[in-house]
Amino acid sequence: MNGSMKALFKRDMLLAFRSRGDLLNPLMFFLMVASLFPLAVSPDPLFLGQIAPGVIWVGALLATLLSLDLLFKSDFEDGSLEQMLLMPQPTLLMVIVKVLVHWLVAGLPLAFIAPLLGLMLGLPSGGFAPLMATLLLATPILSLLGAIGAGLTVGLRKGGMLMPLLILPLYIPVLIFASSAVQAGVLGNSYVGHMAFLGAYLALTLVVAPVATASALRISIAR
Amino acid sequence: MALEYLPDTDLSSKPLLCARGLYCERDDRVLFKDLNFDLSSGQIVRLAGPNGAGKSSLMRILLGLSASYEGALYWHEQDMARALYDFRSDLLYIGHDVGVKSNLTPEENLAWSCPNVTKQDIYGALKRVGLSGFEDLLTHGLSAGQQRRVALARLFLSSKELENKSLWILDEPFTAIDKHGVADLEQVIVNHAQQGGLVILTTHHDLSVPVKTIMLGQTQKASL
């Protein structure tokens, strides 16, 4: 049981690093959003510092949405997904492995380059710690919820617009609490409450999302 | 096409896979109804019928990938829903889309689909399908036939000592395989049946060994 999940993890990591272009696209998008804002809005560091938490979090959220297509699509197209659903192990475990890989290659890098974006946008120094903390805590939520949408739309030929519509409402609480946690950090207030909410949301999605994704995949593959 | 039975079928052995009263319709067209069969170990079973007769649909129903059917399926005389773990542990499925990743080497492709075997076993299996020397090259450099051979190497890894998969479900396994390879593949299938395995396949290729045929199609009512 462990063996096949380890093998799946290894395979997905290998595949992610073999197609580095797909891997870098969301990161490039994230960087571009942050670098275009000062040009378009105002180069005033004070003003930028005020909007930085929101800009960075919106960027992170949209970058994650971009990367969700990678989650099941290619496996669906070449028949690997069928093989995964036919493994004796519960589909749930397979989903958890795939979401974990997605987070490692798409979510975690966002958390690590976010401080750079903070510098570019003149984020006040109090905001860096909560920015990193919220990204580390909340990007797994984005991957987990995104997997439900990716699973539901994987069999659709024109599912491109449907997935964001399904997933964005579920992302809204993350966006609100994470960016206001960073705001609170900037203002020198405590952001423990925000983090507690994000933690609770992560716990909830951790329990619900893999089950929902497994059912979604089974529906998608049954056609 | 007449029904043929394997002469050496042991009638006393319990059936592995049973179907009772299978009914399936697609787009308001009845593909098959009241389909019953008992398949036991040692058999090679061919799902036959013209294009669109429901061969793939029946295969997906047997695999448990499609739920749009009525009727009952039993694995080792246990209801399929209860026996799902055992069924899938025993199952080797090679579909029309073989699930070979072009960004992985043949060895890496097999390593995840057969996690219980060693690297030596994988190299041995790849050698059996004529891919020795290609183990560490990315699969997208290989021809279509060679890519299918990567998937077919799983057949060699499914023996009792290795993965121990007794049920093979193969969708058009001979596609894009050369003449020599087809003969080899047939031999592997026959050997598996002789060792007590069950092989269910679709093919338009005429097998040189007697097989049990499940005929599908609108003109001949699903019969067995």
Side-chain angles (χ1 to χ4, degrees):
Chain A
M1 177 141 162
N2 272 330
S4 46
M5 289 304 136
K6 249 187 232 158
L8 184 63
F9 178 78
K10 204 178 144 196
R11 163 196 187 266
D12 276 12
M13 287 304 272
L14 260 175
L15 278 172
F17 283 97
R18 293 262 164 89
S19 46
R20 276 179 287 269
D22 292 345
L23 207 75
L24 288 175
N25 270 345
L27 277 179
M28 289 300 295
F29 176 81
F30 191 37
L31 268 172
M32 279 191 295
V33 168
S35 50
L36 289 179
F37 254 85
L39 299 176
V41 186
S42 152
D44 174 25
L46 268 177
F47 175 69
L48 279 177
Q50 275 180 348
I51 61 165
V55 170
I56 294 175
W57 253 101
V58 168
L61 202 140
L62 293 177
T64 309
L65 267 183
L66 264 184
S67 64
L68 282 173
D69 231 17
L70 308 175
L71 204 50
F72 299 117
K73 197 89 188 171
S74 75
D75 284 336
F76 175 78
E77 277 162 3
D78 68 13
S80 313
L81 194 61
E82 279 179 2
Q83 296 289 342
M84 289 173 200
L85 291 178
L86 290 174
M87 291 195 296
Q89 291 79 17
T91 310
L92 188 70
L93 291 177
M94 178 276 269
V95 169
I96 291 173
V97 170
K98 290 195 84 74
V99 170
L100 177 66
V101 172
H102 178 263
W103 178 67
L104 285 175
V105 301
L108 200 54
L110 294 181
F112 284 116
I113 64 162
L116 182 70
L117 271 61
L119 275 178
M120 283 163 63
L121 293 172
L123 183 71
S125 58
F128 283 90
L131 181 65
M132 284 285 276
T134 50
L135 277 168
L136 282 174
L137 192 63
T139 42
I141 306 178
L142 302 185
S143 294
L144 282 162
L145 290 174
I148 306 176
L152 278 171
T153 54
V154 70
L156 306 176
R157 234 163 269 149
K158 289 173 189 157
M161 240 358 257
L162 190 58
M163 184 166 61
L165 279 176
L166 284 170
I167 294 304
L168 271 178
L170 300 171
Y171 278 3
I172 298 300
V174 177
L175 183 68
I176 292 171
F177 279 85
S179 55
S180 56
V182 185
Q183 285 298 4
V186 170
L187 298 172
N189 298 334
S190 156
Y191 48 89
V192 176
H194 304 94
M195 295 301 283
F197 176 84
L198 290 175
Y201 201 35
L202 175 61
L204 178 71
T205 47
L206 209 52
V207 174
V208 176
V211 182
T213 309
S215 317
L217 284 175
R218 232 169 275 129
I219 295 167
S220 290
I221 209 104
R223 276 178 283 183
Chain B
M1 198 178 296
L3 299 180
E4 291 169 292
Y5 291 91
L6 261 193
D8 56 354
T9 303
D10 183 4
L11 290 173
S12 66
S13 72
K14 287 181 179 168
L16 278 181
L17 184 65
C18 300
R20 289 290 172 271
L22 284 191
Y23 170 86
C24 175
E25 62 172 40
R26 189 156 206 178
D27 304 330
D28 295 331
R29 195 161 57 87
V30 178
L31 288 177
F32 43 82
K33 61 178 178 185
D34 203 25
L35 185 66
N36 299 296
F37 51 80
D38 289 328
L39 310 178
S40 0
S41 58
Q43 282 182 321
I44 300 172
V45 182
R46 174 178 177 185
L47 308 182
N51 293 121
K55 300 187 290 289
S56 294
S57 298
L58 178 57
M59 207 167 240
R60 295 180 71 80
I61 288 169
L62 293 180
L63 287 165
L65 288 177
S66 164
S68 56
Y69 69 98
E70 287 164 33
L73 286 169
Y74 301 94
W75 177 246
H76 280 291
E77 299 185 313
Q78 242 191 329
D79 190 65
M80 192 57 107
R82 288 165 173 275
L84 212 54
Y85 183 86
D86 294 332
F87 173 73
R88 289 184 175 169
S89 303
D90 278 340
L91 170 70
L92 170 67
Y93 167 61
I94 296 179
H96 189 264
D97 299 317
V98 287
V100 170
K101 282 279 174 201
S102 58
N103 260 341
L104 296 178
T105 67
E107 193 260 318
E108 288 160 351
N109 265 306
L110 291 171
W112 86 267
S113 46
C114 309
N116 303 320
V117 301
T118 65
K119 212 167 177 167
Q120 276 74 33
D121 297 327
I122 290 175
Y123 274 60
L126 285 171
K127 196 175 175 189
R128 297 280 295 272
V129 292
L131 287 177
S132 55
F134 293 96
E135 297 95 340
D136 296 323
L137 295 174
L138 288 188
T139 314
H140 64 68
L142 304 183
S143 74
Q146 283 174 319
Q147 296 197 10
R148 283 195 76 87
R149 279 166 182 263
V150 174
L152 292 171
R154 293 180 61 197
L155 299 178
F156 294 99
L157 292 167
S158 74
S159 63
K160 268 212 169 59
E161 309 80 64
L162 297 170
E163 291 264 304
N164 195 14
K165 309 264 190 198
S166 58
L167 173 62
W168 290 1
I169 298 189
L170 313 174
D171 195 357
E172 298 286 348
F174 301 109
T175 309
I177 300 297
D178 57 42
K179 223 173 183 178
H180 185 68
V182 166
D184 274 355
L185 193 53
E186 253 189 67
Q187 194 52 50
V188 177
I189 289 171
V190 171
N191 286 349
H192 182 68
Q194 275 169 358
Q195 284 161 15
L198 170 60
V199 183
I200 301 173
L201 55 88
T202 62
T203 179
H204 294 288
H205 166 87
D206 281 318
L207 289 162
S208 57
V209 288
V211 295
K212 177 171 174 161
T213 303
I214 295 176
M215 194 70 198
L216 301 170
Q218 305 104 311
T219 41
Q220 291 113 316
K221 279 261 160 59
S223 59
L224 193 85

PDB file of all heavy atoms in Angstrom, chain B residues 27-51:
ATOM      1  N   ASP B  27     -27.282   6.361 -25.301  1.00  0.00           N
ATOM      2  CA  ASP B  27     -28.014   7.251 -26.199  1.00  0.00           C
ATOM      3  C   ASP B  27     -29.301   6.582 -26.694  1.00  0.00           C
ATOM      4  O   ASP B  27     -29.562   6.532 -27.900  1.00  0.00           O
ATOM      5  CB  ASP B  27     -27.149   7.650 -27.400  1.00  0.00           C
ATOM      6  CG  ASP B  27     -25.846   8.278 -26.963  1.00  0.00           C
ATOM      7  OD1 ASP B  27     -25.850   8.905 -25.894  1.00  0.00           O
ATOM      8  OD2 ASP B  27     -24.839   8.124 -27.666  1.00  0.00           O
ATOM      9  N   ASP B  28     -30.093   6.047 -25.777  1.00  0.00           N
ATOM     10  CA  ASP B  28     -31.385   5.414 -26.098  1.00  0.00           C
ATOM     11  C   ASP B  28     -31.261   4.189 -26.987  1.00  0.00           C
ATOM     12  O   ASP B  28     -32.214   3.782 -27.642  1.00  0.00           O
ATOM     13  CB  ASP B  28     -32.346   6.421 -26.760  1.00  0.00           C
ATOM     14  CG  ASP B  28     -32.722   7.525 -25.802  1.00  0.00           C
ATOM     15  OD1 ASP B  28     -32.736   7.247 -24.587  1.00  0.00           O
ATOM     16  OD2 ASP B  28     -32.980   8.645 -26.252  1.00  0.00           O
ATOM     17  N   ARG B  29     -30.072   3.615 -27.052  1.00  0.00           N
ATOM     18  CA  ARG B  29     -29.889   2.422 -27.864  1.00  0.00           C
ATOM     19  C   ARG B  29     -29.444   1.318 -26.907  1.00  0.00           C
ATOM     20  O   ARG B  29     -28.520   1.511 -26.117  1.00  0.00           O
ATOM     21  CB  ARG B  29     -28.785   2.700 -28.883  1.00  0.00           C
ATOM     22  CG  ARG B  29     -28.689   1.742 -30.028  1.00  0.00           C
ATOM     23  CD  ARG B  29     -27.887   2.413 -31.146  1.00  0.00           C
ATOM     24  NE  ARG B  29     -26.573   2.830 -30.671  1.00  0.00           N
ATOM     25  CZ  ARG B  29     -25.502   2.027 -30.673  1.00  0.00           C
ATOM     26  NH1 ARG B  29     -25.594   0.804 -31.123  1.00  0.00           N
ATOM     27  NH2 ARG B  29     -24.339   2.466 -30.235  1.00  0.00           N
ATOM     28  N   VAL B  30     -30.141   0.203 -26.949  1.00  0.00           N
ATOM     29  CA  VAL B  30     -29.780  -0.892 -26.045  1.00  0.00           C
ATOM     30  C   VAL B  30     -28.545  -1.594 -26.605  1.00  0.00           C
ATOM     31  O   VAL B  30     -28.577  -2.108 -27.723  1.00  0.00           O
ATOM     32  CB  VAL B  30     -30.937  -1.885 -25.899  1.00  0.00           C
ATOM     33  CG1 VAL B  30     -30.508  -3.047 -24.996  1.00  0.00           C
ATOM     34  CG2 VAL B  30     -32.153  -1.199 -25.323  1.00  0.00           C
ATOM     35  N   LEU B  31     -27.458  -1.557 -25.854  1.00  0.00           N
ATOM     36  CA  LEU B  31     -26.231  -2.200 -26.328  1.00  0.00           C
ATOM     37  C   LEU B  31     -26.308  -3.705 -26.093  1.00  0.00           C
ATOM     38  O   LEU B  31     -25.996  -4.503 -26.960  1.00  0.00           O
ATOM     39  CB  LEU B  31     -25.012  -1.622 -25.617  1.00  0.00           C
ATOM     40  CG  LEU B  31     -24.631  -0.198 -26.019  1.00  0.00           C
ATOM     41  CD1 LEU B  31     -23.447   0.284 -25.198  1.00  0.00           C
ATOM     42  CD2 LEU B  31     -24.307  -0.117 -27.498  1.00  0.00           C
ATOM     43  N   PHE B  32     -26.704  -4.077 -24.897  1.00  0.00           N
ATOM     44  CA  PHE B  32     -26.944  -5.485 -24.622  1.00  0.00           C
ATOM     45  C   PHE B  32     -27.929  -5.584 -23.477  1.00  0.00           C
ATOM     46  O   PHE B  32     -28.051  -4.666 -22.667  1.00  0.00           O
ATOM     47  CB  PHE B  32     -25.653  -6.248 -24.292  1.00  0.00           C
ATOM     48  CG  PHE B  32     -24.714  -5.525 -23.367  1.00  0.00           C
ATOM     49  CD1 PHE B  32     -24.892  -5.549 -22.001  1.00  0.00           C
ATOM     50  CD2 PHE B  32     -23.620  -4.826 -23.879  1.00  0.00           C
ATOM     51  CE1 PHE B  32     -24.013  -4.902 -21.151  1.00  0.00           C
ATOM     52  CE2 PHE B  32     -22.738  -4.169 -23.025  1.00  0.00           C
ATOM     53  CZ  PHE B  32     -22.939  -4.206 -21.666  1.00  0.00           C
ATOM     54  N   LYS B  33     -28.683  -6.700 -23.474  1.00  0.00           N
ATOM     55  CA  LYS B  33     -29.576  -6.888 -22.340  1.00  0.00           C
ATOM     56  C   LYS B  33     -29.590  -8.362 -21.952  1.00  0.00           C
ATOM     57  O   LYS B  33     -29.357  -9.234 -22.797  1.00  0.00           O
ATOM     58  CB  LYS B  33     -30.985  -6.378 -22.648  1.00  0.00           C
ATOM     59  CG  LYS B  33     -31.677  -7.056 -23.799  1.00  0.00           C
ATOM     60  CD  LYS B  33     -33.071  -6.461 -23.928  1.00  0.00           C
ATOM     61  CE  LYS B  33     -33.814  -7.064 -25.098  1.00  0.00           C
ATOM     62  NZ  LYS B  33     -35.103  -6.422 -25.310  1.00  0.00           N
ATOM     63  N   ASP B  34     -29.842  -8.577 -20.698  1.00  0.00           N
ATOM     64  CA  ASP B  34     -29.881  -9.918 -20.137  1.00  0.00           C
ATOM     65  C   ASP B  34     -28.638 -10.736 -20.521  1.00  0.00           C
ATOM     66  O   ASP B  34     -28.734 -11.860 -20.998  1.00  0.00           O
ATOM     67  CB  ASP B  34     -31.150 -10.652 -20.570  1.00  0.00           C
ATOM     68  CG  ASP B  34     -31.479 -11.771 -19.592  1.00  0.00           C
ATOM     69  OD1 ASP B  34     -31.055 -11.646 -18.421  1.00  0.00           O
ATOM     70  OD2 ASP B  34     -32.115 -12.744 -19.990  1.00  0.00           O
ATOM     71  N   LEU B  35     -27.506 -10.127 -20.313  1.00  0.00           N
ATOM     72  CA  LEU B  35     -26.235 -10.780 -20.643  1.00  0.00           C
ATOM     73  C   LEU B  35     -25.755 -11.552 -19.410  1.00  0.00           C
ATOM     74  O   LEU B  35     -25.603 -10.972 -18.336  1.00  0.00           O
ATOM     75  CB  LEU B  35     -25.218  -9.722 -21.054  1.00  0.00           C
ATOM     76  CG  LEU B  35     -23.856 -10.171 -21.547  1.00  0.00           C
ATOM     77  CD1 LEU B  35     -24.004 -10.920 -22.856  1.00  0.00           C
ATOM     78  CD2 LEU B  35     -22.948  -8.980 -21.737  1.00  0.00           C
ATOM     79  N   ASN B  36     -25.571 -12.853 -19.565  1.00  0.00           N
ATOM     80  CA  ASN B  36     -25.099 -13.677 -18.448  1.00  0.00           C
ATOM     81  C   ASN B  36     -23.847 -14.420 -18.880  1.00  0.00           C
ATOM     82  O   ASN B  36     -23.792 -14.927 -19.993  1.00  0.00           O
ATOM     83  CB  ASN B  36     -26.141 -14.726 -18.064  1.00  0.00           C
ATOM     84  CG  ASN B  36     -27.430 -14.076 -17.611  1.00  0.00           C
ATOM     85  OD1 ASN B  36     -27.459 -13.393 -16.608  1.00  0.00           O
ATOM     86  ND2 ASN B  36     -28.486 -14.267 -18.382  1.00  0.00           N
ATOM     87  N   PHE B  37     -22.855 -14.474 -18.038  1.00  0.00           N
ATOM     88  CA  PHE B  37     -21.727 -15.357 -18.319  1.00  0.00           C
ATOM     89  C   PHE B  37     -20.972 -15.705 -17.039  1.00  0.00           C
ATOM     90  O   PHE B  37     -21.028 -14.974 -16.048  1.00  0.00           O
ATOM     91  CB  PHE B  37     -20.779 -14.767 -19.374  1.00  0.00           C
ATOM     92  CG  PHE B  37     -20.333 -13.353 -19.114  1.00  0.00           C
ATOM     93  CD1 PHE B  37     -19.322 -13.079 -18.221  1.00  0.00           C
ATOM     94  CD2 PHE B  37     -20.931 -12.300 -19.802  1.00  0.00           C
ATOM     95  CE1 PHE B  37     -18.906 -11.782 -18.012  1.00  0.00           C
ATOM     96  CE2 PHE B  37     -20.518 -10.988 -19.589  1.00  0.00           C
ATOM     97  CZ  PHE B  37     -19.502 -10.732 -18.685  1.00  0.00           C
ATOM     98  N   ASP B  38     -20.330 -16.850 -17.083  1.00  0.00           N
ATOM     99  CA  ASP B  38     -19.448 -17.295 -15.997  1.00  0.00           C
ATOM    100  C   ASP B  38     -18.071 -17.475 -16.600  1.00  0.00           C
ATOM    101  O   ASP B  38     -17.918 -18.250 -17.543  1.00  0.00           O
ATOM    102  CB  ASP B  38     -19.900 -18.649 -15.443  1.00  0.00           C
ATOM    103  CG  ASP B  38     -21.191 -18.518 -14.668  1.00  0.00           C
ATOM    104  OD1 ASP B  38     -21.386 -17.460 -14.065  1.00  0.00           O
ATOM    105  OD2 ASP B  38     -21.989 -19.467 -14.692  1.00  0.00           O
ATOM    106  N   LEU B  39     -17.099 -16.796 -16.075  1.00  0.00           N
ATOM    107  CA  LEU B  39     -15.738 -16.939 -16.586  1.00  0.00           C
ATOM    108  C   LEU B  39     -14.875 -17.551 -15.499  1.00  0.00           C
ATOM    109  O   LEU B  39     -14.883 -17.086 -14.356  1.00  0.00           O
ATOM    110  CB  LEU B  39     -15.177 -15.577 -16.999  1.00  0.00           C
ATOM    111  CG  LEU B  39     -16.077 -14.743 -17.925  1.00  0.00           C
ATOM    112  CD1 LEU B  39     -15.434 -13.396 -18.214  1.00  0.00           C
ATOM    113  CD2 LEU B  39     -16.361 -15.480 -19.213  1.00  0.00           C
ATOM    114  N   SER B  40     -14.141 -18.606 -15.857  1.00  0.00           N
ATOM    115  CA  SER B  40     -13.299 -19.230 -14.829  1.00  0.00           C
ATOM    116  C   SER B  40     -11.835 -19.130 -15.219  1.00  0.00           C
ATOM    117  O   SER B  40     -11.494 -18.743 -16.343  1.00  0.00           O
ATOM    118  CB  SER B  40     -13.680 -20.688 -14.625  1.00  0.00           C
ATOM    119  OG  SER B  40     -14.721 -21.053 -15.465  1.00  0.00           O
ATOM    120  N   SER B  41     -10.998 -19.502 -14.274  1.00  0.00           N
ATOM    121  CA  SER B  41      -9.574 -19.412 -14.526  1.00  0.00           C
ATOM    122  C   SER B  41      -9.205 -20.386 -15.637  1.00  0.00           C
ATOM    123  O   SER B  41      -9.826 -21.440 -15.796  1.00  0.00           O
ATOM    124  CB  SER B  41      -8.792 -19.714 -13.255  1.00  0.00           C
ATOM    125  OG  SER B  41      -9.125 -20.975 -12.791  1.00  0.00           O
ATOM    126  N   GLY B  42      -8.202 -20.026 -16.403  1.00  0.00           N
ATOM    127  CA  GLY B  42      -7.773 -20.857 -17.507  1.00  0.00           C
ATOM    128  C   GLY B  42      -8.423 -20.504 -18.818  1.00  0.00           C
ATOM    129  O   GLY B  42      -8.148 -21.127 -19.834  1.00  0.00           O
ATOM    130  N   GLN B  43      -9.296 -19.505 -18.800  1.00  0.00           N
ATOM    131  CA  GLN B  43     -10.003 -19.163 -20.036  1.00  0.00           C
ATOM    132  C   GLN B  43      -9.426 -17.918 -20.701  1.00  0.00           C
ATOM    133  O   GLN B  43      -8.891 -17.028 -20.029  1.00  0.00           O
ATOM    134  CB  GLN B  43     -11.480 -18.898 -19.732  1.00  0.00           C
ATOM    135  CG  GLN B  43     -12.286 -20.158 -19.532  1.00  0.00           C
ATOM    136  CD  GLN B  43     -13.732 -19.849 -19.273  1.00  0.00           C
ATOM    137  OE1 GLN B  43     -14.069 -18.898 -18.576  1.00  0.00           O
ATOM    138  NE2 GLN B  43     -14.599 -20.660 -19.838  1.00  0.00           N
ATOM    139  N   ILE B  44      -9.540 -17.905 -22.007  1.00  0.00           N
ATOM    140  CA  ILE B  44      -9.281 -16.688 -22.764  1.00  0.00           C
ATOM    141  C   ILE B  44     -10.622 -16.283 -23.356  1.00  0.00           C
ATOM    142  O   ILE B  44     -11.259 -17.059 -24.058  1.00  0.00           O
ATOM    143  CB  ILE B  44      -8.267 -16.927 -23.889  1.00  0.00           C
ATOM    144  CG1 ILE B  44      -6.944 -17.399 -23.302  1.00  0.00           C
ATOM    145  CG2 ILE B  44      -8.066 -15.652 -24.693  1.00  0.00           C
ATOM    146  CD1 ILE B  44      -5.940 -17.847 -24.343  1.00  0.00           C
ATOM    147  N   VAL B  45     -11.077 -15.107 -23.020  1.00  0.00           N
ATOM    148  CA  VAL B  45     -12.413 -14.681 -23.418  1.00  0.00           C
ATOM    149  C   VAL B  45     -12.290 -13.465 -24.312  1.00  0.00           C
ATOM    150  O   VAL B  45     -11.595 -12.510 -23.989  1.00  0.00           O
ATOM    151  CB  VAL B  45     -13.266 -14.318 -22.184  1.00  0.00           C
ATOM    152  CG1 VAL B  45     -14.663 -13.936 -22.615  1.00  0.00           C
ATOM    153  CG2 VAL B  45     -13.287 -15.463 -21.209  1.00  0.00           C
ATOM    154  N   ARG B  46     -12.972 -13.562 -25.438  1.00  0.00           N
ATOM    155  CA  ARG B  46     -12.895 -12.455 -26.374  1.00  0.00           C
ATOM    156  C   ARG B  46     -14.247 -11.772 -26.448  1.00  0.00           C
ATOM    157  O   ARG B  46     -15.268 -12.416 -26.654  1.00  0.00           O
ATOM    158  CB  ARG B  46     -12.508 -13.006 -27.739  1.00  0.00           C
ATOM    159  CG  ARG B  46     -12.531 -11.988 -28.823  1.00  0.00           C
ATOM    160  CD  ARG B  46     -12.080 -12.642 -30.095  1.00  0.00           C
ATOM    161  NE  ARG B  46     -12.164 -11.705 -31.183  1.00  0.00           N
ATOM    162  CZ  ARG B  46     -11.919 -12.045 -32.435  1.00  0.00           C
ATOM    163  NH1 ARG B  46     -11.576 -13.279 -32.731  1.00  0.00           N
ATOM    164  NH2 ARG B  46     -12.006 -11.146 -33.377  1.00  0.00           N
ATOM    165  N   LEU B  47     -14.246 -10.463 -26.264  1.00  0.00           N
ATOM    166  CA  LEU B  47     -15.468  -9.704 -26.468  1.00  0.00           C
ATOM    167  C   LEU B  47     -15.490  -9.321 -27.937  1.00  0.00           C
ATOM    168  O   LEU B  47     -14.579  -8.663 -28.415  1.00  0.00           O
ATOM    169  CB  LEU B  47     -15.478  -8.447 -25.598  1.00  0.00           C
ATOM    170  CG  LEU B  47     -15.203  -8.638 -24.102  1.00  0.00           C
ATOM    171  CD1 LEU B  47     -15.286  -7.304 -23.385  1.00  0.00           C
ATOM    172  CD2 LEU B  47     -16.179  -9.621 -23.493  1.00  0.00           C
ATOM    173  N   ALA B  48     -16.513  -9.775 -28.634  1.00  0.00           N
ATOM    174  CA  ALA B  48     -16.523  -9.559 -30.079  1.00  0.00           C
ATOM    175  C   ALA B  48     -17.795  -8.850 -30.499  1.00  0.00           C
ATOM    176  O   ALA B  48     -18.786  -8.816 -29.770  1.00  0.00           O
ATOM    177  CB  ALA B  48     -16.408 -10.897 -30.802  1.00  0.00           C
ATOM    178  N   GLY B  49     -17.769  -8.309 -31.691  1.00  0.00           N
ATOM    179  CA  GLY B  49     -18.928  -7.613 -32.221  1.00  0.00           C
ATOM    180  C   GLY B  49     -18.466  -6.474 -33.095  1.00  0.00           C
ATOM    181  O   GLY B  49     -17.317  -6.066 -33.027  1.00  0.00           O
ATOM    182  N   PRO B  50     -19.369  -5.970 -33.929  1.00  0.00           N
ATOM    183  CA  PRO B  50     -18.985  -4.866 -34.812  1.00  0.00           C
ATOM    184  C   PRO B  50     -18.693  -3.592 -34.023  1.00  0.00           C
ATOM    185  O   PRO B  50     -18.974  -3.527 -32.827  1.00  0.00           O
ATOM    186  CB  PRO B  50     -20.230  -4.691 -35.703  1.00  0.00           C
ATOM    187  CG  PRO B  50     -21.348  -5.295 -34.946  1.00  0.00           C
ATOM    188  CD  PRO B  50     -20.755  -6.389 -34.111  1.00  0.00           C
ATOM    189  N   ASN B  51     -18.142  -2.605 -34.702  1.00  0.00           N
ATOM    190  CA  ASN B  51     -17.849  -1.337 -34.039  1.00  0.00           C
ATOM    191  C   ASN B  51     -19.126  -0.758 -33.455  1.00  0.00           C
ATOM    192  O   ASN B  51     -20.164  -0.772 -34.095  1.00  0.00           O
ATOM    193  CB  ASN B  51     -17.268  -0.329 -35.033  1.00  0.00           C
ATOM    194  CG  ASN B  51     -15.890  -0.749 -35.515  1.00  0.00           C
ATOM    195  OD1 ASN B  51     -15.670  -0.932 -36.696  1.00  0.00           O
ATOM    196  ND2 ASN B  51     -14.987  -0.928 -34.603  1.00  0.00           N
TER     197      ASN B  51
END
